[in-house]
Amino acid sequence: MPAVRAFFAAIAVAVFLVASAPLAHENAQERAPDPIATFSILGYDPATGEVGGAVQSRVFSVGNGVLWAEAEVGIVATQAIVDVSYGPQGLQLLKKGLAPADIVKSIWDGDPDPGLGKNPWPKAGRQFAVMDARGNYAAFTGPKASPWAGNKGGKFCTAQGNILAGEAVVNNMIEAFEKTPGPLSVRLMAALDGGQAGGGDTRGMQSAAMLIVKKDGGVWLHNDVVLRLQVDDNPEPLKELRRLVEMHAKRFRPQ
């Protein structure tokens, strides 16, 4: 009898596991991803006409969707409860001649807030910034962006972030950008280092990216990309990004 009871108990467990597997799979598919905790900076160099941005986050491959730029048009950063379409939308509206502040309002007002799959993905949690090709900018932090969240503007630069250690992150970024000499890439890198020194993403570090554009400013023919760098998965992404930035500066921007 004990053997018989054990046999039927094993069958009951197997049936339960088989029956519950589709439900578990369905729940896994429906679960929304975590918000993208990020700090980023957009900047303009009036001496060269370059416009660019840099970003760091505790997510895999943060550069895959945050920064959008086009030479002689401008650059957009979209983060937090991300709607990646904000990037292309921002560039298209810049091409139409809209001011960054008007673009921010237009994109925000036009967001239908559709959710993500079967889960809420509220636009009130989104954060984004727009900068035109002359360094004019506007930024927005939604009232439901995960704290600490906020943005700060400086001379030809805007810093923004969410799930941060505090306001010191964006304050440090602006100060570092404004005080650091050299090419735009070096100044953007200094801003990221400053943000990390202020506490950075409260969850830690994983990836970083940088994008800089200028008409025919890149190497080779008809290349508007001055620099496009991505560190997708690294325990010290800023250290690796700095190595790449310094390599580029040494090779293509010798003093």
Side-chain angles (χ1 to χ4, degrees):
M1 289 298 291
V4 174
R5 284 196 297 269
F7 173 76
F8 282 107
I11 291 177
V13 170
V15 170
F16 172 78
L17 291 175
V18 170
S20 62
L23 180 60
H25 179 67
E26 182 180 350
N27 288 341
Q29 285 185 321
E30 292 179 1
R31 190 165 52 244
D34 292 333
I36 308 301
T38 300
F39 57 94
S40 70
I41 184 164
L42 304 184
Y44 169 69
D45 185 349
T48 63
E50 294 175 352
V51 64
V55 58
Q56 198 280 141
S57 184
R58 181 61 173 86
V59 296
F60 177 76
S61 192
V62 70
N64 184 24
V66 171
L67 298 175
W68 298 78
E70 188 171 335
E72 299 185 334
V73 176
I75 186 165
V76 180
T78 177
Q79 53 200 56
I81 306 295
V82 183
D83 182 341
V84 174
S85 75
Y86 278 30
Q89 286 187 68
L91 294 180
Q92 286 300 316
L93 293 173
L94 283 171
K95 288 180 181 180
K96 292 181 179 180
L98 272 70
D102 294 331
I103 291 172
V104 166
K105 185 177 187 306
S106 176
I107 292 176
W108 170 256
D109 289 347
D111 187 339
D113 206 1
L116 181 61
K118 297 181 180 180
N119 293 278
W121 196 245
K123 74 176 189 178
R126 307 205 215 288
Q127 185 178 54
F128 65 112
V130 179
M131 175 177 283
D132 68 20
R134 297 174 299 281
N136 302 303
Y137 63 81
F140 175 81
T141 298
K144 293 186 179 180
S146 301
W148 188 90
N151 51 272
K152 182 179 178 64
K155 186 175 182 180
F156 296 129
C157 60
T158 174
Q160 43 282 323
N162 60 97
I163 316 185
L164 302 183
E167 189 176 359
V169 177
V170 291
N171 289 342
N172 284 8
M173 293 173 76
I174 296 300
E175 182 179 4
F177 182 89
E178 292 181 339
K179 291 185 176 181
T180 301
L184 182 59
S185 61
V186 172
R187 300 176 70 192
L188 292 172
M189 188 69 240
L192 290 186
D193 285 336
Q196 186 60 36
D201 180 338
T202 56
R203 301 176 307 167
M205 308 170 71
Q206 185 170 4
S207 64
M210 184 178 296
L211 177 60
I212 299 174
V213 297
K214 178 188 176 182
K215 186 66 176 177
D216 294 326
V219 297
W220 310 307
L221 183 65
H222 298 150
N223 182 13
D224 296 341
V225 179
V226 176
L227 201 59
R228 179 187 284 121
L229 301 174
Q230 285 196 200
V231 180
D232 290 329
D233 185 28
N234 192 301
E236 296 186 87
L238 295 186
K239 182 177 179 180
E240 175 61 9
L241 187 64
R242 175 170 286 281
R243 184 185 71 83
L244 298 173
V245 167
E246 291 177 348
M247 179 184 293
H248 176 270
K250 182 178 180 179
R251 182 170 181 180
F252 298 105
R253 302 288 178 86
Q255 299 296 321

